[in-house]
Amino acid sequence: MATQAIRVPMSGPGDVSGVETLFKNKTIRAEDVIAILAKTEGNGCVNDFTRGYSTFAFQTLLAETLGVSRDEAGKRIAFVMSGGTEGVLSPHAMVFTRSRKSPGESNGGKRLAIGVARTRDFLPEEIGRMSQVQEVARAVREALRDADIEDASDVHFVQIKCPLLTSERIDEAHRRGLTTATVDTYESMGYSRGASALGIGLALGEIDEEKLSDDVICKGWELYSKVASTSAGVELLNCEIILFGNSTHSSSDCIVGHSVMKDAIDREAVYTALRSVHIDPDSKDKSDLSRIVNVFAKAEADARGYVRDRRHTMLNDSDINSTRHARAVVGGVIASIINDPMVYVSGGAEHQGPIGGGPVAVIATVAHNN
């Protein structure tokens, strides 16, 4: 099984020219594409329609290239779009391919393996509750099998695109005499992200099921996954899951590793993530940084109102949502370390790493001496 990960810049939410060029140049085959993950330049909030626009554009490209309907392309390939490129973050897409026609053993050790899966559609009253947690856990286990990863400790990042509540979806539940986790549409993004993250933790054995209930979602912050990255959007009703790990069944030229940031300015965690893929951030020779395919991270404004014992005001800004502040901060920290602002940072880290922090993962090509 050969897995590829390629990063391409985007000039706008509908720009698919970079991926189209990869097809035309025969760098990759459309038949081998299993997932596309992108950062778009919207606000990342409930009304961020750049995510749906980008999904539509990429689905259309793949449908035309494969000679299938757009719906069929959507079923074959996981499309995960995350809005918000505040600060220096640069819009881009990650294309992931997999060919099972290649040899099933790696060239030495464990290499990058990717699994994809989907949940069923959720009813409004299920979003942000245990129904979502349990269904996500089922789908994550499916993605683990799809990646041919036998040990959950070899999983280093799980990206999920999950649904949110709109006023129409809330009203629909109320008409049936049911309640929703919240009636605040923006707040529902956090509940959905949190439930999805807890589902990842449950599936990978990070969290015991007996500790989980509706009451701990977005409240019991001591429960979290160290590899979860979840992003909510209005453009879907189910969860799209992309799982990244290393497997002996992969012949990829890449590996993935991770660490966990304790807060938004935790440079040491980024260094640790780089070292996990055999890149020395302290080396005077910075050429090794060219091996980085991309860095993926979660960001959030610490709910306690402090970073390193200094008061922050991200949660008190009524003009700009706190997730936008947090993405800008974490994006700047990572960009300053790897000398590249084209990195993937997703806002809102409920149950994704410790409160105020979040996972950070690195995909890199394998060094010749490793």
Side-chain angles (χ1 to χ4, degrees):
M1 179 176 66
T3 300
Q4 286 181 283
I6 302 174
R7 180 181 56 169
V8 295
M10 295 173 65
S11 64
D15 179 19
V16 298
S17 61
V19 178
E20 188 174 20
T21 298
L22 293 175
F23 295 153
K24 289 181 177 178
N25 293 345
K26 298 184 178 179
T27 304
I28 60 174
R29 300 190 324 147
E31 292 81 0
D32 294 335
V33 175
I34 58 171
I36 294 180
L37 171 66
K39 281 301 299 182
T40 63
E41 57 218 72
N43 60 25
C45 299
V46 175
N47 65 332
D48 183 350
F49 301 112
T50 66
R51 297 175 303 224
Y53 178 27
S54 188
T55 299
F56 180 87
F58 278 112
Q59 285 182 347
T60 300
L61 171 65
L62 268 297
E64 292 174 350
T65 306
L66 293 168
V68 300
S69 68
R70 191 170 60 82
D71 285 345
E72 179 61 27
K75 293 175 183 177
R76 287 194 192 186
I77 300 158
F79 295 91
V80 175
M81 310 300 162
S82 175
T85 52
E86 295 80 6
V88 299
L89 291 173
S90 183
H92 66 281
M94 287 294 303
V95 185
F96 301 100
T97 69
R98 182 175 63 197
S99 173
R100 294 191 182 274
K101 294 180 181 180
S102 301
E105 297 295 328
S106 72
N107 296 320
K110 297 176 181 179
R111 299 292 180 87
L112 175 67
I114 298 173
V116 297
R118 295 169 178 82
T119 67
R120 60 172 173 80
D121 287 355
F122 292 105
L123 294 169
E125 63 269 20
E126 295 179 310
I127 293 174
R129 288 177 168 160
M130 280 301 296
S131 295
Q132 185 174 0
V133 173
Q134 291 164 339
E135 171 63 6
V136 166
R138 181 205 62 77
V140 170
R141 295 186 188 105
E142 180 183 325
L144 191 66
R145 293 190 294 271
D146 186 56
D148 278 338
I149 295 175
E150 297 162 355
D151 189 337
S153 66
D154 286 323
V155 176
H156 294 281
F157 203 65
V158 182
Q159 177 64 52
I160 291 182
K161 189 68 187 184
C162 53
L164 54 79
L165 291 171
T166 62
S167 56
E168 292 82 5
R169 294 171 186 175
I170 294 169
D171 287 344
E172 192 269 326
H174 289 174
R175 283 196 299 271
R176 290 185 286 109
L178 298 170
T179 63
T180 52
T182 177
V183 294
D184 184 312
T185 58
Y186 180 73
E187 192 175 68
S188 78
M189 299 179 77
Y191 274 94
S192 186
R193 289 190 300 254
S196 296
L198 291 172
I200 294 170
L202 175 60
L204 299 181
E206 298 176 285
I207 301 171
D208 295 331
E209 187 166 11
E210 58 266 24
K211 294 181 179 179
L212 295 173
S213 68
D214 287 346
D215 293 335
V216 305
I217 299 172
C218 289
K219 296 181 181 71
W221 301 121
E222 73 282 0
L223 301 175
Y224 60 83
S225 167
K226 295 180 180 179
V227 296
S229 172
T230 66
S231 175
V234 72
E235 66 273 14
L236 76 176
L237 288 169
N238 68 326
C239 288
E240 299 270 337
I241 299 164
I242 311 174
L243 180 146
F244 304 90
N246 296 313
S247 171
T248 56
H249 300 290
S250 172
S251 57
S252 174
D253 65 349
C254 294
I255 54 174
V256 60
H258 83 282
S259 183
V260 181
M261 298 177 73
K262 65 182 180 182
D263 58 33
I265 57 174
D266 187 1
R267 292 172 60 92
E268 287 301 322
V270 181
Y271 294 154
T272 300
L274 290 170
R275 294 187 187 103
S276 73
V277 292
H278 314 299
I279 293 175
D280 182 3
D282 298 318
S283 173
K284 292 182 180 180
D285 180 8
K286 299 301 180 182
S287 62
D288 218 20
L289 294 176
S290 65
R291 289 178 38 228
I292 296 172
V293 176
N294 208 349
V295 178
F296 308 83
K298 286 300 301 186
E300 76 168 4
D302 195 310
R304 295 165 295 193
Y306 289 84
V307 175
R308 306 284 173 100
D309 296 324
R310 300 294 190 185
R311 186 173 71 91
H312 72 76
T313 61
M314 291 184 280
L315 296 169
N316 301 324
D317 189 339
S318 298
D319 296 314
I320 302 174
N321 290 103
S322 62
T323 51
R324 308 194 71 186
H325 285 287
R327 280 192 294 265
V329 173
V330 174
V333 169
I334 294 172
S336 70
I337 293 171
I338 70 169
N339 297 322
D340 189 348
M342 194 180 289
V343 295
Y344 181 96
V345 180
S346 173
E350 300 87 356
H351 302 292
Q352 301 154 71
I355 186 169
V360 55
V362 181
I363 293 178
T365 56
V366 178
H368 293 301
N369 58 348
N370 286 302

